[in-house]
Amino acid sequence: MKSIERELHCPVCEEMVKQPIVLPCMHSVCVLCAAEVLVQRGYPPPELPPEPNTPTSSPITRSPRQTRRPPPKTDRLDRVIRTVCGTHPGRRRKDTPPVIMLFPCPTCGKDVELGERGLADCLRNLTLERIVERYRHSVSLGSMAVMCQFCKPPQALEATKGCADCRSNFCNECFKLYHPWGTPRAQHEHILPTHSFRPKVLVCVEHEQERLQFYCRSCQCLLCPLCKLRRAHSGHKIMPIALAYQTLKEKITKEMNYILANQESVQAQITQVESGIAQTEVHSSVAKEQLNQCVSELRGVLAERQGALAMFLEGARAQRAGTLNAQLSEKQSLLENAGLLTYTQELLKETDQSCFVQAARVTHSRLVKAIENLQHFSLSADPSFRHFQIDVSRELKALSSMDFIQAPLAPVIDTQKTLAYDQLYLCWRLPQDSAPAWHYSVEYQRKVESNGTHCSWQRLDDVGGTSAVIDKLEMDSVYVLRVRGCNKAGFGEYSEEVYLHTPPAPVLSFCLDSRWGLHAERVALGKGQTYARSVPGMTLLQAADRALTSCHLTSDLLVADVSITQGRHYWACSVEPGSYLVKVGVGIEAKLQEWFHLPQDMASPRYDPDSGHDSGAEDAQDSPPPFCFLTMGMGKILLPKCGVSNTSTGPLTAPLPPRLGLCLDFEKGRLTFYDAHSLRVLWEGSVDCSAPVCPAFCFIGGGALQLQELIANRSTEQNPPRRVTIQTRATDAGH
């Protein structure tokens, strides 16, 4: 029993609890200590529950055979009305709102709301009082003997029994005298002598005549039958107290047995914590020596700063040592015959169901937390002092701001440059106030599939720059990426995770073909033939001068230098938002040459290459069209009608995405357009694939277009990073 003394101390006075009450946060404090704290915070003195120190009956005031008059009972209907409605009919409500008391719980460090009645709404922790009573009698604290309250003063004997009903202490003779056989007093419950009598059962703080017979799982509080009728508990999960008692007792027993069965792990973790404390002392001494050596070289300038840094270092050492000592104490309390487990064993001896449920919830939470810490153990403080080393290479003008080096802050990922194409390209930067990073670690993981499989984290170590390329990825998959920096102080925090969707098919690499369909005076190709710009010239001006009622436009066609004959292929491009009209799609190479080599009048009402979905389906309704285009321009993209599923009367418009993706399935004859950034499908159309098909681009008026460059073609000057697979180990709790 001596090992549980720590569990029985009040967190306010740090002494053995006296008349403990349970706060809404489930922690217990002495009722007098709670009242003093509230008064110190400026609240009015609370009305404390009376605790009689004199016997209920004595030979002078009442005969032992005289029966007590039962207290008057309040009408049940009146109590029901007061419970449901809150006030009696006709009572005036208060004009001022009630004062809500906030109690600073020293255990959890939070301000707990007590409600309108303050401490009167808090139940007494009778189970904790019984455990304290058993503890006092078992360890013999040397307190004053409890004397019989009915013996006359000169011959007063030491009490041997206490009566919970009479709330008095008796010697053997007086107990027989005041509890004669054959009377109702003979059925009173006798207990050990005590200076503090407790109620036999818990009753509702609002309805004094009602016992707590229910437990609300939603509010985690005990209820009487009248509190159960309140609208505040409407729809909540309410169970009988017997069921809550049995359920909670079984859980705590199972949790305690699990900890007892893992005593070897507890002892091993205690050894590890003790080793961490020793390492903390050693490393802190080494760090302090290095600090003194560096400061001694700059003594004249850094005298004042040295004291500040030494104080900061000592505070860090004391904090870590204190944290590790607290963890050591916590682990030692999990040993067999130690504080928490012994306290739990005493708690399980409680037979009063409502008292047990009311007192056992905190123990249950502590045991759950202890099991979680046992399964996922780690030191509560880092025993190394790597980030307490000083960088003495700074100039003298920066000595005034000299400080311990810190690990880099979390990098900021550049979402404009980061993309997924033939490979993943990740780009980031450090915040301005961050410490420099020597190198970076990039981690990526394939997103969890719908079947529940989990892919391991992959890591690229020793990345020298602020960008990384990741290859050998699966198509049409979502990857999660994050990055963190590292320097002499160790690794910093992770960046925010970004999600990238890989293309649905292999990426097709091609350039623009200028052999046909190209008007040099209007269309110019960039270096590498991946960029094209169309500028309307004198031809458009002269054509517009000849017409008064229509607009004469010119069209220029560009095609890829490769043709597709099988499989699925994906490519992407960017259209300048200021472009007038640009068509992007695919078509049969022979049909495109035939179409664009014939003279066309763009102002003619019979000419409409964008009828519906740019298919030319007016000539053959049953066969797929020989080409498929989407039209975009002026910051918008035109989405043609999707057939019978579209109830609109005409095509729809959507904002032009920064990058447009296209995926051609040659075997199915389907072309799908995507928002290349998110891989969201914009539109899908059919195309005739009976002959080789090639990507095509058409300019009508001024515009510009840029093909997406392959990430593999980008030059990298840094050394290839080291690829590592991070193994995650799952621990089974065994229950």
Side-chain angles (χ1 to χ4, degrees), residues 373-415:
N373 293 335
L374 183 62
Q375 295 172 347
H376 307 283
F377 174 74
S378 62
L379 291 179
S380 58
D382 186 6
S384 66
F385 280 70
R386 291 175 300 180
H387 61 285
F388 283 79
Q389 300 179 14
I390 297 180
D391 184 4
V392 296
S393 61
R394 299 178 182 179
E395 296 80 358
L396 290 177
K397 63 180 181 181
L399 288 178
S400 58
S401 60
M402 184 178 63
D403 201 350
F404 295 108
I405 61 173
Q406 302 292 331
L409 298 179
V412 179
I413 294 181
D414 190 344
T415 56

mmCIF file of all heavy atoms in Angstrom, residues 373-415:
data_model
loop_
_atom_site.group_PDB
_atom_site.id
_atom_site.type_symbol
_atom_site.label_atom_id
_atom_site.label_comp_id
_atom_site.label_asym_id
_atom_site.label_seq_id
_atom_site.Cartn_x
_atom_site.Cartn_y
_atom_site.Cartn_z
ATOM 1 N N ASN A 373 1.688 4.289 -24.420
ATOM 2 C CA ASN A 373 3.097 4.643 -24.277
ATOM 3 C C ASN A 373 3.980 3.410 -24.199
ATOM 4 O O ASN A 373 5.139 3.441 -24.605
ATOM 5 C CB ASN A 373 3.291 5.500 -23.021
ATOM 6 C CG ASN A 373 2.623 6.852 -23.150
ATOM 7 O OD1 ASN A 373 2.427 7.348 -24.259
ATOM 8 N ND2 ASN A 373 2.240 7.454 -22.035
ATOM 9 N N LEU A 374 3.416 2.325 -23.661
ATOM 10 C CA LEU A 374 4.186 1.087 -23.577
ATOM 11 C C LEU A 374 4.400 0.482 -24.952
ATOM 12 O O LEU A 374 5.454 -0.076 -25.245
ATOM 13 C CB LEU A 374 3.450 0.089 -22.658
ATOM 14 C CG LEU A 374 4.141 -1.258 -22.399
ATOM 15 C CD1 LEU A 374 5.480 -1.035 -21.703
ATOM 16 C CD2 LEU A 374 3.235 -2.144 -21.551
ATOM 17 N N GLN A 375 3.411 0.581 -25.800
ATOM 18 C CA GLN A 375 3.516 -0.003 -27.137
ATOM 19 C C GLN A 375 4.338 0.877 -28.073
ATOM 20 O O GLN A 375 5.059 0.369 -28.928
ATOM 21 C CB GLN A 375 2.119 -0.208 -27.727
ATOM 22 C CG GLN A 375 1.286 -1.234 -26.968
ATOM 23 C CD GLN A 375 -0.139 -1.264 -27.467
ATOM 24 O OE1 GLN A 375 -0.564 -0.382 -28.191
ATOM 25 N NE2 GLN A 375 -0.867 -2.302 -27.097
ATOM 26 N N HIS A 376 4.210 2.191 -27.945
ATOM 27 C CA HIS A 376 4.921 3.113 -28.837
ATOM 28 C C HIS A 376 5.881 3.956 -27.984
ATOM 29 O O HIS A 376 5.666 5.152 -27.796
ATOM 30 C CB HIS A 376 3.939 3.999 -29.606
ATOM 31 C CG HIS A 376 2.877 3.234 -30.328
ATOM 32 N ND1 HIS A 376 3.105 2.566 -31.507
ATOM 33 C CD2 HIS A 376 1.574 3.016 -30.018
ATOM 34 C CE1 HIS A 376 1.998 1.979 -31.899
ATOM 35 N NE2 HIS A 376 1.050 2.240 -31.017
ATOM 36 N N PHE A 377 6.873 3.296 -27.460
ATOM 37 C CA PHE A 377 7.755 3.962 -26.508
ATOM 38 C C PHE A 377 8.804 4.799 -27.225
ATOM 39 O O PHE A 377 9.347 4.387 -28.247
ATOM 40 C CB PHE A 377 8.440 2.922 -25.637
ATOM 41 C CG PHE A 377 9.478 3.519 -24.719
ATOM 42 C CD1 PHE A 377 9.096 4.235 -23.602
ATOM 43 C CD2 PHE A 377 10.829 3.393 -25.006
ATOM 44 C CE1 PHE A 377 10.036 4.797 -22.769
ATOM 45 C CE2 PHE A 377 11.774 3.949 -24.183
ATOM 46 C CZ PHE A 377 11.389 4.649 -23.052
ATOM 47 N N SER A 378 9.045 5.942 -26.692
ATOM 48 C CA SER A 378 10.148 6.784 -27.126
ATOM 49 C C SER A 378 10.486 7.711 -25.978
ATOM 50 O O SER A 378 9.650 7.999 -25.114
ATOM 51 C CB SER A 378 9.778 7.598 -28.374
ATOM 52 O OG SER A 378 8.697 8.476 -28.087
ATOM 53 N N LEU A 379 11.741 8.141 -25.952
ATOM 54 C CA LEU A 379 12.170 9.044 -24.894
ATOM 55 C C LEU A 379 11.401 10.354 -24.997
ATOM 56 O O LEU A 379 11.190 10.887 -26.078
ATOM 57 C CB LEU A 379 13.667 9.310 -25.000
ATOM 58 C CG LEU A 379 14.593 8.115 -24.683
ATOM 59 C CD1 LEU A 379 16.041 8.527 -24.867
ATOM 60 C CD2 LEU A 379 14.360 7.599 -23.278
ATOM 61 N N SER A 380 10.977 10.865 -23.845
ATOM 62 C CA SER A 380 10.201 12.105 -23.836
ATOM 63 C C SER A 380 11.044 13.330 -24.130
ATOM 64 O O SER A 380 10.498 14.397 -24.389
ATOM 65 C CB SER A 380 9.514 12.269 -22.475
ATOM 66 O OG SER A 380 10.474 12.271 -21.438
ATOM 67 N N ALA A 381 12.356 13.202 -24.095
ATOM 68 C CA ALA A 381 13.253 14.321 -24.418
ATOM 69 C C ALA A 381 14.486 13.754 -25.120
ATOM 70 O O ALA A 381 14.924 12.635 -24.840
ATOM 71 C CB ALA A 381 13.656 15.095 -23.157
ATOM 72 N N ASP A 382 15.023 14.523 -26.021
ATOM 73 C CA ASP A 382 16.204 14.112 -26.771
ATOM 74 C C ASP A 382 17.437 14.293 -25.893
ATOM 75 O O ASP A 382 17.744 15.409 -25.471
ATOM 76 C CB ASP A 382 16.321 14.946 -28.047
ATOM 77 C CG ASP A 382 17.457 14.473 -28.949
ATOM 78 O OD1 ASP A 382 18.065 13.434 -28.629
ATOM 79 O OD2 ASP A 382 17.716 15.145 -29.969
ATOM 80 N N PRO A 383 18.176 13.209 -25.599
ATOM 81 C CA PRO A 383 19.345 13.364 -24.719
ATOM 82 C C PRO A 383 20.534 14.016 -25.412
ATOM 83 O O PRO A 383 21.491 14.386 -24.752
ATOM 84 C CB PRO A 383 19.658 11.915 -24.318
ATOM 85 C CG PRO A 383 19.139 11.086 -25.437
ATOM 86 C CD PRO A 383 17.925 11.801 -25.943
ATOM 87 N N SER A 384 20.518 14.122 -26.713
ATOM 88 C CA SER A 384 21.639 14.744 -27.421
ATOM 89 C C SER A 384 21.468 16.253 -27.441
ATOM 90 O O SER A 384 20.367 16.775 -27.354
ATOM 91 C CB SER A 384 21.725 14.218 -28.854
ATOM 92 O OG SER A 384 20.597 14.627 -29.597
ATOM 93 N N PHE A 385 22.572 16.936 -27.535
ATOM 94 C CA PHE A 385 22.593 18.398 -27.561
ATOM 95 C C PHE A 385 23.291 18.886 -28.827
ATOM 96 O O PHE A 385 24.122 19.791 -28.798
ATOM 97 C CB PHE A 385 23.310 18.944 -26.311
ATOM 98 C CG PHE A 385 22.449 18.951 -25.087
ATOM 99 C CD1 PHE A 385 22.095 17.763 -24.474
ATOM 100 C CD2 PHE A 385 21.974 20.150 -24.568
ATOM 101 C CE1 PHE A 385 21.292 17.772 -23.347
ATOM 102 C CE2 PHE A 385 21.172 20.156 -23.441
ATOM 103 C CZ PHE A 385 20.828 18.958 -22.825
ATOM 104 N N ARG A 386 22.896 18.292 -29.941
ATOM 105 C CA ARG A 386 23.565 18.644 -31.185
ATOM 106 C C ARG A 386 23.298 20.079 -31.602
ATOM 107 O O ARG A 386 24.171 20.747 -32.158
ATOM 108 C CB ARG A 386 23.128 17.685 -32.299
ATOM 109 C CG ARG A 386 23.628 16.261 -32.120
ATOM 110 C CD ARG A 386 23.074 15.355 -33.184
ATOM 111 N NE ARG A 386 21.610 15.314 -33.140
ATOM 112 C CZ ARG A 386 20.866 14.595 -33.974
ATOM 113 N NH1 ARG A 386 21.450 13.898 -34.930
ATOM 114 N NH2 ARG A 386 19.553 14.586 -33.865
ATOM 115 N N HIS A 387 22.086 20.570 -31.372
ATOM 116 C CA HIS A 387 21.774 21.913 -31.828
ATOM 117 C C HIS A 387 22.207 22.992 -30.843
ATOM 118 O O HIS A 387 21.811 24.142 -30.969
ATOM 119 C CB HIS A 387 20.279 22.035 -32.100
ATOM 120 C CG HIS A 387 19.418 21.785 -30.899
ATOM 121 N ND1 HIS A 387 19.190 20.533 -30.388
ATOM 122 C CD2 HIS A 387 18.729 22.649 -30.115
ATOM 123 C CE1 HIS A 387 18.402 20.628 -29.338
ATOM 124 N NE2 HIS A 387 18.107 21.900 -29.155
ATOM 125 N N PHE A 388 23.010 22.623 -29.829
ATOM 126 C CA PHE A 388 23.557 23.603 -28.907
ATOM 127 C C PHE A 388 25.005 23.965 -29.255
ATOM 128 O O PHE A 388 25.691 24.555 -28.437
ATOM 129 C CB PHE A 388 23.484 23.080 -27.469
ATOM 130 C CG PHE A 388 22.108 23.161 -26.871
ATOM 131 C CD1 PHE A 388 21.149 22.218 -27.180
ATOM 132 C CD2 PHE A 388 21.758 24.195 -26.008
ATOM 133 C CE1 PHE A 388 19.884 22.290 -26.643
ATOM 134 C CE2 PHE A 388 20.492 24.270 -25.464
ATOM 135 C CZ PHE A 388 19.550 23.309 -25.789
ATOM 136 N N GLN A 389 25.473 23.549 -30.427
ATOM 137 C CA GLN A 389 26.810 23.921 -30.851
ATOM 138 C C GLN A 389 26.759 25.283 -31.551
ATOM 139 O O GLN A 389 25.799 25.593 -32.244
ATOM 140 C CB GLN A 389 27.378 22.859 -31.799
ATOM 141 C CG GLN A 389 27.462 21.468 -31.154
ATOM 142 C CD GLN A 389 27.998 20.436 -32.118
ATOM 143 O OE1 GLN A 389 28.536 20.793 -33.160
ATOM 144 N NE2 GLN A 389 27.848 19.164 -31.771
ATOM 145 N N ILE A 390 27.806 26.050 -31.365
ATOM 146 C CA ILE A 390 27.835 27.430 -31.863
ATOM 147 C C ILE A 390 28.664 27.500 -33.136
ATOM 148 O O ILE A 390 29.726 26.896 -33.237
ATOM 149 C CB ILE A 390 28.416 28.375 -30.795
ATOM 150 C CG1 ILE A 390 27.509 28.381 -29.562
ATOM 151 C CG2 ILE A 390 28.588 29.783 -31.340
ATOM 152 C CD1 ILE A 390 28.006 29.269 -28.469
ATOM 153 N N ASP A 391 28.172 28.214 -34.118
ATOM 154 C CA ASP A 391 28.891 28.457 -35.361
ATOM 155 C C ASP A 391 29.734 29.723 -35.183
ATOM 156 O O ASP A 391 29.208 30.836 -35.123
ATOM 157 C CB ASP A 391 27.885 28.628 -36.505
ATOM 158 C CG ASP A 391 28.576 28.799 -37.846
ATOM 159 O OD1 ASP A 391 29.816 28.701 -37.887
ATOM 160 O OD2 ASP A 391 27.881 29.023 -38.852
ATOM 161 N N VAL A 392 31.066 29.540 -35.064
ATOM 162 C CA VAL A 392 31.955 30.664 -34.787
ATOM 163 C C VAL A 392 32.503 31.289 -36.055
ATOM 164 O O VAL A 392 33.405 32.138 -35.996
ATOM 165 C CB VAL A 392 33.126 30.203 -33.883
ATOM 166 C CG1 VAL A 392 32.612 29.756 -32.539
ATOM 167 C CG2 VAL A 392 33.905 29.083 -34.568
ATOM 168 N N SER A 393 32.009 30.920 -37.211
ATOM 169 C CA SER A 393 32.506 31.480 -38.465
ATOM 170 C C SER A 393 31.812 32.779 -38.843
ATOM 171 O O SER A 393 32.098 33.367 -39.868
ATOM 172 C CB SER A 393 32.317 30.455 -39.594
ATOM 173 O OG SER A 393 30.943 30.150 -39.766
ATOM 174 N N ARG A 394 30.892 33.217 -38.060
ATOM 175 C CA ARG A 394 30.204 34.468 -38.372
ATOM 176 C C ARG A 394 31.118 35.670 -38.108
ATOM 177 O O ARG A 394 32.026 35.624 -37.269
ATOM 178 C CB ARG A 394 28.940 34.596 -37.536
ATOM 179 C CG ARG A 394 27.943 33.478 -37.781
ATOM 180 C CD ARG A 394 26.740 33.655 -36.878
ATOM 181 N NE ARG A 394 25.772 32.581 -37.056
ATOM 182 C CZ ARG A 394 24.632 32.471 -36.368
ATOM 183 N NH1 ARG A 394 24.334 33.383 -35.469
ATOM 184 N NH2 ARG A 394 23.821 31.465 -36.593
ATOM 185 N N GLU A 395 30.840 36.746 -38.780
ATOM 186 C CA GLU A 395 31.613 37.956 -38.603
ATOM 187 C C GLU A 395 31.319 38.588 -37.249
ATOM 188 O O GLU A 395 30.304 38.290 -36.611
ATOM 189 C CB GLU A 395 31.302 38.957 -39.724
ATOM 190 C CG GLU A 395 31.708 38.491 -41.104
ATOM 191 C CD GLU A 395 30.721 37.536 -41.734
ATOM 192 O OE1 GLU A 395 29.720 37.196 -41.057
ATOM 193 O OE2 GLU A 395 30.957 37.112 -42.873
ATOM 194 N N LEU A 396 32.252 39.461 -36.817
ATOM 195 C CA LEU A 396 32.096 40.097 -35.511
ATOM 196 C C LEU A 396 30.851 40.980 -35.443
ATOM 197 O O LEU A 396 30.264 41.159 -34.378
ATOM 198 C CB LEU A 396 33.350 40.939 -35.206
ATOM 199 C CG LEU A 396 34.632 40.133 -34.926
ATOM 200 C CD1 LEU A 396 35.797 41.088 -34.706
ATOM 201 C CD2 LEU A 396 34.444 39.223 -33.747
ATOM 202 N N LYS A 397 30.456 41.509 -36.559
ATOM 203 C CA LYS A 397 29.280 42.382 -36.534
ATOM 204 C C LYS A 397 28.006 41.617 -36.257
ATOM 205 O O LYS A 397 26.980 42.222 -35.894
ATOM 206 C CB LYS A 397 29.144 43.123 -37.862
ATOM 207 C CG LYS A 397 28.921 42.202 -39.048
ATOM 208 C CD LYS A 397 28.784 42.993 -40.335
ATOM 209 C CE LYS A 397 28.527 42.091 -41.524
ATOM 210 N NZ LYS A 397 28.411 42.873 -42.781
ATOM 211 N N ALA A 398 28.024 40.266 -36.417
ATOM 212 C CA ALA A 398 26.835 39.458 -36.151
ATOM 213 C C ALA A 398 26.858 38.835 -34.773
ATOM 214 O O ALA A 398 25.972 38.046 -34.433
ATOM 215 C CB ALA A 398 26.702 38.356 -37.204
ATOM 216 N N LEU A 399 27.870 39.173 -33.929
ATOM 217 C CA LEU A 399 27.974 38.550 -32.610
ATOM 218 C C LEU A 399 26.818 38.934 -31.695
ATOM 219 O O LEU A 399 26.467 38.187 -30.783
ATOM 220 C CB LEU A 399 29.302 38.942 -31.964
ATOM 221 C CG LEU A 399 30.561 38.300 -32.574
ATOM 222 C CD1 LEU A 399 31.795 38.816 -31.882
ATOM 223 C CD2 LEU A 399 30.475 36.793 -32.485
ATOM 224 N N SER A 400 26.252 40.099 -31.914
ATOM 225 C CA SER A 400 25.154 40.523 -31.044
ATOM 226 C C SER A 400 23.928 39.637 -31.187
ATOM 227 O O SER A 400 23.111 39.558 -30.274
ATOM 228 C CB SER A 400 24.779 41.972 -31.345
ATOM 229 O OG SER A 400 24.409 42.097 -32.719
ATOM 230 N N SER A 401 23.814 38.967 -32.332
ATOM 231 C CA SER A 401 22.674 38.065 -32.559
ATOM 232 C C SER A 401 23.101 36.601 -32.535
ATOM 233 O O SER A 401 22.381 35.748 -33.047
ATOM 234 C CB SER A 401 22.016 38.392 -33.901
ATOM 235 O OG SER A 401 22.945 38.233 -34.962
ATOM 236 N N MET A 402 24.246 36.304 -31.970
ATOM 237 C CA MET A 402 24.736 34.927 -31.926
ATOM 238 C C MET A 402 23.806 34.064 -31.096
ATOM 239 O O MET A 402 23.331 34.472 -30.028
ATOM 240 C CB MET A 402 26.141 34.891 -31.345
ATOM 241 C CG MET A 402 26.773 33.515 -31.359
ATOM 242 S SD MET A 402 28.461 33.520 -30.730
ATOM 243 C CE MET A 402 28.179 34.047 -29.044
ATOM 244 N N ASP A 403 23.537 32.858 -31.553
ATOM 245 C CA ASP A 403 22.597 31.966 -30.893
ATOM 246 C C ASP A 403 22.981 30.541 -31.217
ATOM 247 O O ASP A 403 23.815 30.285 -32.088
ATOM 248 C CB ASP A 403 21.159 32.262 -31.362
ATOM 249 C CG ASP A 403 20.125 31.744 -30.371
ATOM 250 O OD1 ASP A 403 20.518 31.002 -29.455
ATOM 251 O OD2 ASP A 403 18.948 32.090 -30.526
ATOM 252 N N PHE A 404 22.389 29.596 -30.521
ATOM 253 C CA PHE A 404 22.598 28.195 -30.851
ATOM 254 C C PHE A 404 22.025 27.911 -32.238
ATOM 255 O O PHE A 404 20.970 28.440 -32.602
ATOM 256 C CB PHE A 404 21.920 27.282 -29.826
ATOM 257 C CG PHE A 404 22.509 27.397 -28.449
ATOM 258 C CD1 PHE A 404 21.809 28.030 -27.439
ATOM 259 C CD2 PHE A 404 23.745 26.865 -28.168
ATOM 260 C CE1 PHE A 404 22.336 28.130 -26.171
ATOM 261 C CE2 PHE A 404 24.287 26.959 -26.899
ATOM 262 C CZ PHE A 404 23.586 27.591 -25.897
ATOM 263 N N ILE A 405 22.724 27.080 -32.996
ATOM 264 C CA ILE A 405 22.233 26.770 -34.331
ATOM 265 C C ILE A 405 20.966 25.954 -34.225
ATOM 266 O O ILE A 405 20.779 25.150 -33.292
ATOM 267 C CB ILE A 405 23.302 26.026 -35.159
ATOM 268 C CG1 ILE A 405 23.659 24.695 -34.492
ATOM 269 C CG2 ILE A 405 24.536 26.869 -35.348
ATOM 270 C CD1 ILE A 405 24.578 23.837 -35.334
ATOM 271 N N GLN A 406 20.085 26.154 -35.153
ATOM 272 C CA GLN A 406 18.796 25.478 -35.175
ATOM 273 C C GLN A 406 18.681 24.646 -36.438
ATOM 274 O O GLN A 406 19.325 24.925 -37.456
ATOM 275 C CB GLN A 406 17.650 26.506 -35.124
ATOM 276 C CG GLN A 406 17.698 27.412 -33.918
ATOM 277 C CD GLN A 406 17.413 26.682 -32.629
ATOM 278 O OE1 GLN A 406 16.690 25.688 -32.618
ATOM 279 N NE2 GLN A 406 17.986 27.168 -31.542
ATOM 280 N N ALA A 407 17.877 23.632 -36.358
ATOM 281 C CA ALA A 407 17.584 22.838 -37.553
ATOM 282 C C ALA A 407 16.768 23.680 -38.535
ATOM 283 O O ALA A 407 16.075 24.630 -38.136
ATOM 284 C CB ALA A 407 16.819 21.575 -37.173
ATOM 285 N N PRO A 408 16.837 23.385 -39.819
ATOM 286 C CA PRO A 408 16.074 24.177 -40.803
ATOM 287 C C PRO A 408 14.573 24.112 -40.547
ATOM 288 O O PRO A 408 14.048 23.101 -40.051
ATOM 289 C CB PRO A 408 16.443 23.531 -42.147
ATOM 290 C CG PRO A 408 17.701 22.778 -41.895
ATOM 291 C CD PRO A 408 17.650 22.342 -40.459
ATOM 292 N N LEU A 409 13.913 25.210 -40.868
ATOM 293 C CA LEU A 409 12.457 25.216 -40.783
ATOM 294 C C LEU A 409 11.859 24.360 -41.896
ATOM 295 O O LEU A 409 12.554 23.894 -42.798
ATOM 296 C CB LEU A 409 11.934 26.650 -40.879
ATOM 297 C CG LEU A 409 12.374 27.610 -39.766
ATOM 298 C CD1 LEU A 409 11.795 28.994 -40.017
ATOM 299 C CD2 LEU A 409 11.973 27.083 -38.402
ATOM 300 N N ALA A 410 10.559 24.159 -41.806
ATOM 301 C CA ALA A 410 9.876 23.349 -42.816
ATOM 302 C C ALA A 410 9.942 24.027 -44.178
ATOM 303 O O ALA A 410 9.567 25.199 -44.306
ATOM 304 C CB ALA A 410 8.418 23.124 -42.412
ATOM 305 N N PRO A 411 10.432 23.345 -45.204
ATOM 306 C CA PRO A 411 10.484 23.958 -46.540
ATOM 307 C C PRO A 411 9.081 24.256 -47.076
ATOM 308 O O PRO A 411 8.088 23.649 -46.666
ATOM 309 C CB PRO A 411 11.194 22.900 -47.387
ATOM 310 C CG PRO A 411 11.889 22.001 -46.416
ATOM 311 C CD PRO A 411 11.033 22.007 -45.182
ATOM 312 N N VAL A 412 9.027 25.205 -48.001
ATOM 313 C CA VAL A 412 7.782 25.581 -48.676
ATOM 314 C C VAL A 412 7.854 25.048 -50.105
ATOM 315 O O VAL A 412 8.755 25.395 -50.862
ATOM 316 C CB VAL A 412 7.588 27.109 -48.679
ATOM 317 C CG1 VAL A 412 6.294 27.468 -49.407
ATOM 318 C CG2 VAL A 412 7.576 27.645 -47.258
ATOM 319 N N ILE A 413 6.928 24.189 -50.467
ATOM 320 C CA ILE A 413 6.927 23.569 -51.789
ATOM 321 C C ILE A 413 6.326 24.533 -52.803
ATOM 322 O O ILE A 413 5.271 25.137 -52.567
ATOM 323 C CB ILE A 413 6.153 22.243 -51.752
ATOM 324 C CG1 ILE A 413 6.896 21.239 -50.861
ATOM 325 C CG2 ILE A 413 5.979 21.668 -53.154
ATOM 326 C CD1 ILE A 413 6.237 19.891 -50.771
ATOM 327 N N ASP A 414 7.008 24.694 -53.926
ATOM 328 C CA ASP A 414 6.552 25.560 -55.014
ATOM 329 C C ASP A 414 5.575 24.761 -55.876
ATOM 330 O O ASP A 414 5.967 23.928 -56.692
ATOM 331 C CB ASP A 414 7.742 26.026 -55.842
ATOM 332 C CG ASP A 414 7.368 27.113 -56.837
ATOM 333 O OD1 ASP A 414 6.155 27.286 -57.093
ATOM 334 O OD2 ASP A 414 8.274 27.768 -57.375
ATOM 335 N N THR A 415 4.293 25.006 -55.673
ATOM 336 C CA THR A 415 3.275 24.249 -56.404
ATOM 337 C C THR A 415 3.191 24.641 -57.875
ATOM 338 O O THR A 415 2.620 23.882 -58.675
ATOM 339 C CB THR A 415 1.900 24.446 -55.740
ATOM 340 O OG1 THR A 415 1.599 25.852 -55.684
ATOM 341 C CG2 THR A 415 1.902 23.892 -54.325
#
